[in-house]
Coordinates of all heavy atoms in Angstrom, one line a residue:
M1 N 42.4 88.0 78.4 CA 43.0 87.3 77.3 C 44.3 87.9 76.8 O 45.3 87.4 76.6 CB 42.0 86.9 76.2 CG 42.6 86.2 75.0 SD 42.5 84.5 75.2 CE 42.9 84.1 73.7
S2 N 44.1 89.3 76.7 CA 45.2 90.2 76.2 C 46.4 90.1 77.2 O 47.6 90.3 76.9 CB 44.7 91.4 75.6 OG 44.5 92.3 76.8
Q3 N 46.0 90.2 78.6 CA 47.0 90.2 79.5 C 47.9 89.0 79.5 O 49.1 89.0 79.8 CB 46.4 90.3 80.9 CG 45.8 91.7 81.2 CD 45.2 91.9 82.6 OE1 45.0 90.9 83.3 NE2 45.0 93.1 82.9
G4 N 47.3 87.8 79.2 CA 48.0 86.6 79.1 C 49.0 86.5 78.0 O 50.1 86.1 78.1
K5 N 48.6 87.0 76.7 CA 49.5 87.1 75.7 C 50.6 88.1 75.9 O 51.7 87.9 75.5 CB 48.6 87.6 74.5 CG 47.6 86.6 73.9 CD 47.0 87.0 72.7 CE 46.0 86.1 72.2 NZ 45.3 86.6 70.9
T6 N 50.3 89.2 76.6 CA 51.3 90.1 76.9 C 52.3 89.6 77.9 O 53.5 89.7 77.6 CB 50.7 91.5 77.6 OG1 49.7 91.8 76.7 CG2 51.8 92.5 77.9
L7 N 51.9 88.8 78.8 CA 52.8 88.2 79.7 C 53.7 87.2 78.9 O 54.9 87.1 79.3 CB 52.1 87.5 80.9 CG 52.9 86.8 81.9 CD1 53.7 87.9 82.6 CD2 52.0 86.0 82.9
I8 N 53.2 86.4 78.1 CA 53.8 85.4 77.3 C 54.9 86.1 76.5 O 56.0 85.7 76.4 CB 52.9 84.5 76.6 CG1 52.1 83.6 77.6 CG2 53.8 83.6 75.6 CD1 51.1 82.8 76.9
I9 N 54.4 87.1 75.8 CA 55.4 87.8 74.9 C 56.5 88.5 75.7 O 57.7 88.4 75.3 CB 54.6 89.0 74.2 CG1 53.6 88.3 73.1 CG2 55.6 89.9 73.4 CD1 52.7 89.2 72.4
V10 N 56.2 89.0 76.8 CA 57.4 89.6 77.6 C 58.3 88.5 78.1 O 59.6 88.7 78.0 CB 56.8 90.4 78.9 CG1 57.8 90.7 79.9 CG2 55.9 91.6 78.4
L11 N 57.8 87.4 78.6 CA 58.6 86.3 79.0 C 59.5 85.8 77.9 O 60.7 85.6 78.0 CB 57.8 85.2 79.7 CG 57.2 85.5 80.9 CD1 56.3 84.4 81.5 CD2 58.3 85.9 82.1
V12 N 58.9 85.6 76.7 CA 59.8 85.1 75.6 C 60.8 86.1 75.2 O 61.9 85.8 74.9 CB 58.7 84.8 74.4 CG1 59.6 84.5 73.1 CG2 57.9 83.6 74.7
A13 N 60.5 87.4 75.3 CA 61.4 88.4 74.9 C 62.6 88.4 75.9 O 63.8 88.6 75.4 CB 60.7 89.8 74.8
L14 N 62.2 88.2 77.1 CA 63.4 88.2 78.2 C 64.2 87.0 78.0 O 65.4 87.0 78.1 CB 62.8 88.2 79.6 CG 62.2 89.4 80.1 CD1 61.5 89.2 81.5 CD2 63.4 90.4 80.3
V15 N 63.6 85.8 77.7 CA 64.4 84.5 77.5 C 65.2 84.6 76.3 O 66.5 84.4 76.3 CB 63.4 83.3 77.4 CG1 64.2 82.1 76.9 CG2 62.7 83.1 78.7
I16 N 64.8 85.2 75.1 CA 65.6 85.4 73.9 C 66.7 86.5 74.2 O 67.9 86.3 73.8 CB 64.5 86.0 72.7 CG1 63.8 84.7 72.3 CG2 65.5 86.4 71.7 CD1 62.8 85.1 71.4
G17 N 66.4 87.5 75.0 CA 67.4 88.5 75.3 C 68.5 88.0 76.2 O 69.7 88.2 75.8
F18 N 68.3 87.2 77.2 CA 69.2 86.6 78.0 C 70.1 85.7 77.3 O 71.3 85.5 77.4 CB 68.6 86.0 79.3 CG 68.4 87.1 80.4 CD1 67.0 87.3 80.7 CD2 69.3 87.8 81.0 CE1 66.7 88.2 81.8 CE2 69.1 88.7 81.9 CZ 67.8 88.8 82.3
A19 N 69.4 84.8 76.5 CA 70.0 83.7 75.7 C 71.0 84.4 74.7 O 72.2 84.0 74.5 CB 69.1 82.8 75.1
G20 N 70.5 85.4 74.1 CA 71.4 86.1 73.1 C 72.5 86.8 73.8 O 73.6 86.9 73.3
G21 N 72.3 87.3 75.0 CA 73.4 88.0 75.6 C 74.5 87.0 76.0 O 75.8 87.2 75.9
F22 N 74.2 85.8 76.4 CA 75.1 84.7 76.9 C 75.8 84.3 75.6 O 77.1 83.9 75.6 CB 74.5 83.6 77.6 CG 74.1 83.9 79.0 CD1 72.8 83.9 79.4 CD2 75.2 84.2 79.9 CE1 72.7 84.2 80.8 CE2 75.0 84.5 81.2 CZ 73.6 84.5 81.6
V23 N 75.1 84.2 74.5 CA 75.7 83.7 73.3 C 76.6 84.7 72.6 O 77.8 84.3 72.1 CB 74.6 83.3 72.2 CG1 75.2 83.0 70.8 CG2 73.8 82.0 72.6
L24 N 76.3 85.9 72.7 CA 77.1 87.0 72.2 C 78.2 87.5 73.0 O 79.0 88.3 72.8 CB 76.3 88.2 71.6 CG 75.3 87.9 70.6 CD1 74.3 89.0 70.2 CD2 76.0 87.4 69.3
R25 N 78.2 87.1 74.3 CA 79.2 87.7 75.3 C 80.6 87.5 74.8 O 81.4 88.5 75.0 CB 78.9 86.9 76.6 CG 79.7 87.6 77.7 CD 79.3 86.9 79.1 NE 80.3 87.4 80.1 CZ 80.3 87.1 81.3 NH1 79.6 86.0 81.7 NH2 81.2 87.6 82.2
P26 N 81.1 86.4 74.3 CA 82.4 86.3 73.9 C 82.8 87.2 72.8 O 83.9 87.7 72.6 CB 82.6 84.9 73.5 CG 81.5 84.1 74.1 CD 80.5 85.1 74.3
I27 N 81.7 87.6 72.0 CA 81.9 88.4 70.9 C 82.0 89.9 71.2 O 82.8 90.8 70.8 CB 80.8 88.2 69.8 CG1 80.9 86.9 69.2 CG2 81.0 89.1 68.6 CD1 79.7 86.4 68.4
I28 N 81.1 90.2 72.2 CA 81.0 91.7 72.6 C 82.2 92.1 73.5 O 82.7 93.1 73.3 CB 79.6 91.8 73.5 CG1 78.5 91.6 72.5 CG2 79.6 93.2 74.1 CD1 77.2 91.5 73.2
T29 N 82.6 91.3 74.4 CA 83.8 91.6 75.3 C 85.0 91.6 74.4 O 85.3 90.6 73.7 CB 83.8 90.7 76.5 OG1 84.1 89.4 76.0 CG2 82.6 90.7 77.3
P30 N 85.9 92.6 74.7 CA 87.2 92.6 74.0 C 88.1 91.5 74.4 O 88.1 91.1 75.5 CB 87.7 94.0 74.2 CG 87.1 94.4 75.5 CD 85.7 93.7 75.5
A31 N 88.9 91.1 73.6 CA 90.0 90.0 73.8 C 91.0 90.7 74.8 O 91.2 91.9 74.6 CB 90.6 89.4 72.5
P32 N 91.5 89.8 75.7 CA 92.6 90.5 76.5 C 93.8 90.8 75.7 O 94.2 90.1 74.9 CB 92.8 89.4 77.6 CG 92.4 88.1 77.0 CD 91.2 88.6 76.0
Q33 N 94.3 92.0 76.0 CA 95.4 92.5 75.3 C 96.7 92.0 76.0 O 96.9 92.1 77.2 CB 95.5 94.1 75.3 CG 94.3 94.6 74.8 CD 94.3 94.5 73.2 OE1 95.3 94.3 72.5 NE2 93.1 94.3 72.6
T34 N 97.6 91.4 75.2 CA 98.8 90.9 75.7 C 100.0 91.7 75.1 O 99.9 92.0 73.9 CB 99.1 89.4 75.3 OG1 98.9 89.3 73.9 CG2 98.0 88.4 76.0
A35 N 100.9 92.1 76.0 CA 102.1 92.9 75.5 C 103.1 91.9 75.0 O 103.5 91.0 75.6 CB 102.7 93.8 76.6
A36 N 103.6 92.2 73.8 CA 104.6 91.4 73.2 C 106.0 91.9 73.7 O 106.3 92.9 73.5 CB 104.4 91.3 71.7
A37 N 106.7 91.1 74.3 CA 108.0 91.4 74.7 C 109.1 91.1 73.6 O 108.9 90.2 72.8 CB 108.5 90.6 76.0
A38 N 110.2 92.0 73.5 CA 111.0 92.0 72.4 C 111.9 90.7 72.6 O 112.0 89.8 71.6 CB 111.9 93.2 72.4
S39 N 112.3 90.5 73.7 CA 113.1 89.3 74.1 C 112.6 88.8 75.5 O 113.1 89.5 76.3 CB 114.6 89.5 73.9 OG 115.1 90.5 74.8
P40 N 112.1 87.7 75.5 CA 111.7 87.4 77.0 C 112.8 87.0 77.9 O 112.5 87.2 79.1 CB 110.7 86.1 76.7 CG 110.6 85.9 75.3 CD 111.5 86.9 74.6
A41 N 113.9 86.7 77.4 CA 115.1 86.4 78.3 C 115.6 87.8 79.1 O 116.1 87.6 80.1 CB 116.2 85.9 77.5
L42 N 115.3 88.8 78.6 CA 115.7 90.1 79.2 C 114.7 90.6 80.2 O 115.1 91.3 81.0 CB 115.9 91.3 78.2 CG 116.9 91.1 77.1 CD1 116.9 92.2 76.1 CD2 118.3 90.9 77.7
V43 N 113.5 90.1 80.3 CA 112.5 90.6 81.2 C 112.7 89.6 82.6 O 112.6 88.4 82.5 CB 111.2 90.4 80.5 CG1 110.0 90.8 81.7 CG2 110.9 91.1 79.4
A44 N 112.9 90.4 83.5 CA 113.1 89.7 84.9 C 111.8 89.4 85.5 O 110.8 90.2 85.4 CB 113.9 90.6 85.8
P45 N 111.5 88.1 86.0 CA 110.1 87.8 86.5 C 110.0 88.5 87.8 O 110.7 88.5 88.7 CB 110.1 86.3 86.7 CG 111.7 86.0 86.7 CD 112.4 87.0 86.0
T46 N 108.9 89.4 87.8 CA 108.7 90.1 89.1 C 107.3 89.8 89.5 O 106.4 89.7 88.6 CB 108.9 91.6 89.0 OG1 108.0 92.0 87.9 CG2 110.3 92.1 88.7
S47 N 107.0 89.9 90.8 CA 105.7 89.6 91.3 C 105.1 90.9 91.6 O 105.6 91.9 92.3 CB 105.7 88.7 92.6 OG 104.4 88.7 93.0
T48 N 103.8 91.2 91.0 CA 103.2 92.5 91.2 C 102.2 92.4 92.4 O 101.7 93.4 92.8 CB 102.4 92.9 90.0 OG1 101.4 91.8 89.7 CG2 103.3 93.1 88.8
E49 N 102.0 91.2 93.1 CA 101.1 91.0 94.2 C 101.9 91.3 95.3 O 103.0 91.1 95.6 CB 100.6 89.6 94.2 CG 99.8 89.2 93.0 CD 99.3 87.8 93.2 OE1 99.4 87.2 94.3 OE2 98.9 87.3 92.2
A50 N 101.2 92.0 96.2 CA 101.8 92.4 97.6 C 101.8 91.2 98.5 O 101.0 90.2 98.4 CB 101.0 93.5 98.2
R51 N 103.0 91.0 99.1 CA 103.1 89.9 100.1 C 102.1 90.1 101.3 O 101.8 91.2 101.6 CB 104.5 89.9 100.6 CG 105.5 89.6 99.5 CD 106.9 89.6 99.9 NE 107.2 91.0 100.0 CZ 108.4 91.5 100.1 NH1 109.5 90.6 100.3 NH2 108.6 92.8 100.1
G52 N 101.6 88.9 101.8 CA 100.6 89.0 102.7 C 101.0 89.2 104.2 O 102.3 89.3 104.5
T53 N 100.1 89.5 105.1 CA 100.5 89.7 106.5 C 101.3 88.6 107.1 O 102.2 88.8 107.9 CB 99.2 90.0 107.2 OG1 98.4 91.0 106.6 CG2 99.4 90.4 108.7
Q54 N 100.9 87.3 106.7 CA 101.6 86.2 107.3 C 103.0 86.0 107.0 O 103.9 85.7 107.8 CB 100.8 84.7 106.8 CG 99.4 84.7 107.3 CD 98.7 83.5 106.9 OE1 99.2 82.9 105.9 NE2 97.6 83.0 107.4
Y55 N 103.4 86.5 105.8 CA 104.7 86.6 105.2 C 105.4 87.6 106.2 O 106.6 87.3 106.7 CB 104.9 87.0 103.9 CG 106.3 87.3 103.5 CD1 107.0 86.1 103.0 CD2 106.9 88.5 103.4 CE1 108.3 86.3 102.7 CE2 108.1 88.6 103.0 CZ 108.9 87.6 102.7 OH 110.2 87.7 102.3
F56 N 104.9 88.8 106.4 CA 105.6 89.8 107.2 C 105.6 89.4 108.8 O 106.6 89.8 109.4 CB 104.9 91.2 107.0 CG 105.3 91.7 105.6 CD1 104.3 92.1 104.8 CD2 106.6 91.8 105.3 CE1 104.6 92.6 103.5 CE2 106.9 92.5 104.0 CZ 105.9 92.8 103.2
V57 N 104.6 88.6 109.1 CA 104.8 88.1 110.6 C 105.9 87.2 110.7 O 106.6 87.3 111.7 CB 103.4 87.5 111.0 CG1 103.7 86.9 112.2 CG2 102.3 88.5 111.1
A58 N 106.2 86.4 109.7 CA 107.3 85.5 109.8 C 108.6 86.2 109.5 O 109.8 85.7 110.0 CB 107.2 84.4 108.8
H59 N 108.6 87.4 108.8 CA 109.9 88.1 108.5 C 109.6 89.5 109.0 O 109.5 90.5 108.2 CB 110.1 88.1 107.0 CG 110.2 86.7 106.4 ND1 109.1 86.0 105.9 CD2 111.2 86.0 106.3 CE1 109.5 84.9 105.4 NE2 110.8 84.7 105.6
I60 N 109.7 89.6 110.3 CA 109.2 90.9 111.0 C 110.3 92.1 110.6 O 110.0 93.2 110.6 CB 109.0 90.7 112.4 CG1 108.3 92.0 113.0 CG2 110.4 90.3 113.1 CD1 107.0 92.3 112.5
E61 N 111.6 91.6 110.5 CA 112.7 92.7 110.2 C 112.3 93.3 108.7 O 112.6 94.5 108.6 CB 114.0 92.1 110.3 CG 114.4 91.8 111.7 CD 114.3 93.1 112.7 OE1 114.7 94.1 112.3 OE2 113.8 92.9 113.8
E62 N 112.1 92.4 107.9 CA 111.7 93.0 106.5 C 110.5 93.9 106.6 O 110.4 94.8 105.9 CB 111.5 91.7 105.6 CG 111.4 92.2 104.2 CD 111.5 91.1 103.1 OE1 111.7 89.9 103.6 OE2 111.2 91.2 102.1
A63 N 109.6 93.5 107.3 CA 108.3 94.3 107.5 C 108.7 95.7 108.0 O 108.2 96.7 107.6 CB 107.3 93.7 108.4
R64 N 109.5 95.7 109.0 CA 110.0 97.0 109.6 C 110.7 97.9 108.5 O 110.6 99.2 108.5 CB 110.8 96.9 110.7 CG 110.1 96.3 112.0 CD 110.8 96.3 113.2 NE 110.0 96.0 114.4 CZ 110.0 94.7 115.1 NH1 110.9 93.9 114.9 NH2 109.1 94.6 116.1
Q65 N 111.6 97.3 107.7 CA 112.2 97.9 106.6 C 111.2 98.5 105.6 O 111.3 99.6 105.2 CB 113.2 97.0 105.9 CG 114.4 96.7 106.8 CD 115.3 95.6 106.1 OE1 115.0 95.1 105.1 NE2 116.4 95.3 106.7
I66 N 110.1 97.7 105.3 CA 109.2 98.1 104.3 C 108.5 99.4 104.9 O 108.2 100.4 104.2 CB 108.2 97.0 104.0 CG1 108.9 95.9 103.3 CG2 107.0 97.5 103.2 CD1 109.2 96.2 101.9
V67 N 108.0 99.3 106.2 CA 107.3 100.4 106.8 C 108.1 101.7 106.8 O 107.6 102.8 106.6 CB 106.8 100.0 108.2 CG1 106.3 101.1 109.0 CG2 105.8 99.0 108.0
A68 N 109.4 101.5 107.1 CA 110.4 102.6 107.1 C 110.4 103.3 105.7 O 110.4 104.5 105.6 CB 111.7 102.3 107.6
G69 N 110.5 102.4 104.7 CA 110.6 102.8 103.3 C 109.3 103.5 103.0 O 109.2 104.6 102.3
C70 N 108.2 103.0 103.5 CA 106.9 103.6 103.1 C 106.8 105.0 103.8 O 106.2 106.0 103.2 CB 105.7 102.8 103.7 SG 105.5 101.2 102.9
R71 N 107.3 105.2 105.0 CA 107.3 106.5 105.7 C 108.2 107.5 104.9 O 107.8 108.7 104.9 CB 107.7 106.4 107.1 CG 106.7 105.6 107.9 CD 107.0 105.6 109.4 NE 105.9 104.9 110.2 CZ 106.1 104.1 111.1 NH1 107.3 103.9 111.5 NH2 105.1 103.4 111.7
D72 N 109.2 107.0 104.4 CA 110.1 108.1 103.8 C 109.9 108.2 102.2 O 110.4 109.1 101.7 CB 111.7 107.8 103.9 CG 112.1 106.6 103.3 OD1 111.4 106.0 102.5 OD2 113.3 106.1 103.6
G73 N 108.9 107.5 101.8 CA 108.4 107.6 100.5 C 109.2 106.6 99.4 O 108.9 106.8 98.2
S74 N 110.0 105.9 99.8 CA 110.9 105.1 98.8 C 110.1 103.8 98.4 O 110.4 103.1 97.4 CB 112.3 104.7 99.3 OG 112.1 103.9 100.5
V75 N 109.1 103.3 99.2 CA 108.4 102.2 98.9 C 106.9 102.5 98.9 O 106.3 103.3 99.7 CB 108.6 101.1 100.1 CG1 107.7 99.8 99.8 CG2 110.0 100.8 100.1
R76 N 106.2 102.0 97.8 CA 104.8 102.3 97.7 C 104.0 101.0 97.3 O 104.7 100.1 96.9 CB 104.5 103.4 96.7 CG 105.1 104.6 97.1 CD 104.7 105.7 96.0 NE 105.2 106.9 96.4 CZ 104.8 108.1 95.8 NH1 104.0 108.0 94.8 NH2 105.4 109.3 96.2
G77 N 102.8 101.0 97.6 CA 101.9 99.8 97.1 C 101.2 99.3 98.3 O 101.2 99.8 99.4
G78 N 100.7 98.1 98.0 CA 99.9 97.4 99.0 C 100.6 96.8 100.2 O 100.2 96.4 101.2
E79 N 102.0 96.6 100.0 CA 102.8 96.0 101.0 C 103.0 97.0 102.3 O 103.2 96.5 103.4 CB 104.2 95.6 100.5 CG 104.1 94.5 99.6 CD 105.5 93.9 99.2 OE1 106.5 94.7 99.5 OE2 105.6 92.9 98.6
C80 N 102.8 98.2 102.1 CA 102.8 99.1 103.3 C 101.8 98.8 104.3 O 102.1 98.7 105.5 CB 102.6 100.6 102.7 SG 103.9 101.2 101.7
A81 N 100.6 98.5 103.9 CA 99.6 98.3 104.7 C 99.7 96.8 105.5 O 99.5 96.7 106.7 CB 98.1 98.4 104.1
T82 N 100.1 96.0 104.7 CA 100.3 94.6 105.2 C 101.4 94.4 106.1 O 101.4 93.8 107.2 CB 100.4 93.5 104.0 OG1 101.4 93.9 103.3 CG2 99.1 93.3 103.3
A83 N 102.5 95.3 105.8 CA 103.7 95.3 106.7 C 103.3 95.9 108.0 O 103.8 95.4 109.1 CB 104.8 95.9 106.0
E84 N 102.6 97.0 108.0 CA 102.2 97.8 109.1 C 101.2 96.8 110.0 O 101.5 96.7 111.2 CB 101.5 99.0 108.8 CG 101.0 99.8 109.9 CD 102.1 100.7 110.5 OE1 103.0 101.2 109.7 OE2 102.1 101.0 111.7
E85 N 100.4 96.1 109.4 CA 99.5 95.2 110.0 C 100.3 94.1 110.7 O 99.9 93.8 111.8 CB 98.4 94.7 109.1 CG 97.4 93.8 109.7 CD 96.3 93.2 108.8 OE1 96.3 93.8 107.7 OE2 95.7 92.3 109.1
A86 N 101.2 93.6 110.1 CA 102.0 92.4 110.7 C 102.8 92.9 111.9 O 102.9 92.3 112.9 CB 102.9 91.9 109.7
I87 N 103.4 94.2 111.7 CA 104.1 94.7 112.9 C 103.1 94.9 114.1 O 103.5 94.5 115.2 CB 104.8 96.1 112.6 CG1 105.9 95.8 111.5 CG2 105.2 96.8 113.7 CD1 106.6 97.1 111.0
I88 N 102.0 95.4 114.0 CA 101.0 95.5 115.0 C 100.7 94.3 115.7 O 100.6 94.2 116.9 CB 99.7 96.3 114.3 CG1 100.1 97.6 114.0 CG2 98.6 96.2 115.4 CD1 99.0 98.5 113.3
K89 N 100.5 93.2 114.8 CA 100.1 91.9 115.3 C 101.3 91.3 116.1 O 101.0 90.7 117.3 CB 99.8 90.9 114.2 CG 98.4 91.1 113.6 CD 98.1 90.1 112.5 CE 96.8 90.3 111.9 NZ 96.4 89.3 111.0
V90 N 102.5 91.5 115.7 CA 103.7 91.0 116.4 C 103.9 91.7 117.7 O 104.1 91.1 118.9 CB 104.9 91.0 115.5 CG1 106.2 90.7 116.3 CG2 104.8 89.9 114.3
E91 N 103.6 93.0 117.6 CA 103.9 93.7 118.9 C 102.9 93.5 119.9 O 103.1 93.4 121.2 CB 103.9 95.3 118.5 CG 105.3 95.7 117.9 CD 105.2 97.1 117.5 OE1 104.2 97.8 117.5 OE2 106.3 97.5 117.0
A92 N 101.7 93.3 119.5 CA 100.5 92.9 120.3 C 100.7 91.6 121.0 O 100.5 91.4 122.2 CB 99.2 92.9 119.6
A93 N 101.3 90.6 120.1 CA 101.6 89.3 120.7 C 102.7 89.4 121.9 O 102.6 88.6 122.8 CB 102.0 88.4 119.5
E94 N 103.6 90.2 121.6 CA 104.8 90.4 122.5 C 104.2 91.0 123.8 O 104.6 90.6 124.9 CB 105.8 91.2 121.9 CG 106.7 90.5 120.8 CD 107.6 91.5 120.2 OE1 107.6 92.7 120.5 OE2 108.3 90.9 119.3
R95 N 103.3 92.0 123.7 CA 102.8 92.6 124.9 C 102.0 91.6 125.8 O 101.9 91.6 126.9 CB 101.9 93.9 124.5 CG 102.8 95.0 124.2 CD 101.8 96.3 124.1 NE 100.8 96.2 123.2 CZ 100.8 96.5 121.9 NH1 102.0 97.0 121.3 NH2 99.7 96.3 121.1
R96 N 101.2 90.8 124.9 CA 100.3 89.8 125.6 C 101.1 88.8 126.4 O 100.9 88.4 127.5 CB 99.5 89.1 124.6 CG 98.4 88.2 125.1 CD 97.5 87.7 124.1 NE 98.0 87.5 122.8 CZ 97.7 88.2 121.6 NH1 97.0 89.2 121.7 NH2 98.1 88.0 120.5
K97 N 102.3 88.3 125.8 CA 103.2 87.5 126.4 C 103.8 88.1 127.6 O 103.9 87.4 128.7 CB 104.3 86.9 125.5 CG 103.9 85.9 124.4 CD 104.9 85.6 123.6 CE 104.5 84.6 122.5 NZ 105.6 84.2 121.6
R98 N 104.3 89.3 127.5 CA 104.9 90.0 128.7 C 103.8 90.2 129.8 O 104.1 89.9 131.0 CB 105.3 91.4 128.4 CG 106.6 91.3 127.6 CD 107.4 92.7 127.6 NE 106.4 93.7 127.3 CZ 106.3 94.3 126.0 NH1 107.3 93.9 125.1 NH2 105.6 95.2 125.7
F99 N 102.5 90.5 129.4 CA 101.5 90.7 130.5 C 101.1 89.4 131.2 O 100.9 89.4 132.4 CB 100.2 91.4 129.8 CG 99.1 91.6 130.8 CD1 99.2 92.7 131.6 CD2 98.0 90.8 130.8 CE1 98.1 92.9 132.4 CE2 97.0 91.0 131.5 CZ 97.0 92.1 132.4
L100 N 100.9 88.3 130.4 CA 100.5 87.1 130.9 C 101.6 86.3 131.4 O 101.5 85.3 132.2 CB 99.7 86.2 129.9 CG 98.4 86.8 129.3 CD1 97.9 86.0 128.2 CD2 97.5 87.0 130.4
G101 N 102.8 86.7 131.1 CA 104.0 86.0 131.7 C 104.3 84.7 131.1 O 105.0 83.8 131.6
N102 N 103.8 84.4 129.8 CA 104.0 83.1 129.1 C 105.2 83.2 128.2 O 105.5 84.0 127.5 CB 102.8 82.8 128.3 CG 101.6 82.5 129.1 OD1 101.7 82.2 130.3 ND2 100.4 82.6 128.6

């Protein structure tokens, strides 16, 4: 009899705990901080996301420039890896075409 009561008490406590967590979640988590710009017209829109491999496959010369910049240290970030990967893919496709004669 006491094991049944204990089980019910534990289940009720878990349900109340989870429900309370979901209800209080917006209060507990901090609001996202937004930086206020002095004048939005002076801020140039820049993309912080690295361009993908498909972009660099289509623009192989730009990929080669990015990789050269990465090697000499003037370019940093996620684009180094994606540009390198695009160059590898394009060179592999060129080798495959030469080998197969297509």
Side-chain angles (χ1 to χ4, degrees):
M1 178 87 168
S2 72
Q3 287 180 347
K5 285 183 181 179
T6 305
L7 182 64
I8 291 174
I9 291 172
V10 168
L11 290 175
V12 169
L14 283 171
V15 168
I16 290 173
F18 279 116
F22 283 115
V23 170
L24 295 175
R25 184 175 179 187
I27 298 169
I28 294 171
T29 58
Q33 299 293 327
T34 57
S39 62
L42 297 177
V43 178
T46 58
S47 175
T48 58
E49 296 181 16
R51 293 172 282 191
T53 305
Q54 292 176 344
Y55 174 84
F56 285 122
V57 167
H59 302 92
I60 194 65
E61 289 304 317
E62 188 173 351
R64 288 188 173 113
Q65 291 173 354
I66 295 290
V67 169
C70 292
R71 287 186 182 140
D72 67 12
S74 63
V75 177
R76 292 186 180 192
E79 289 189 343
C80 292
T82 55
E84 181 82 29
E85 184 178 343
I87 291 172
I88 291 170
K89 285 183 179 183
V90 168
E91 289 176 351
E94 289 173 356
R95 281 193 307 270
R96 186 172 34 255
K97 284 181 183 178
R98 283 194 314 255
F99 180 76
L100 297 175
N102 294 340

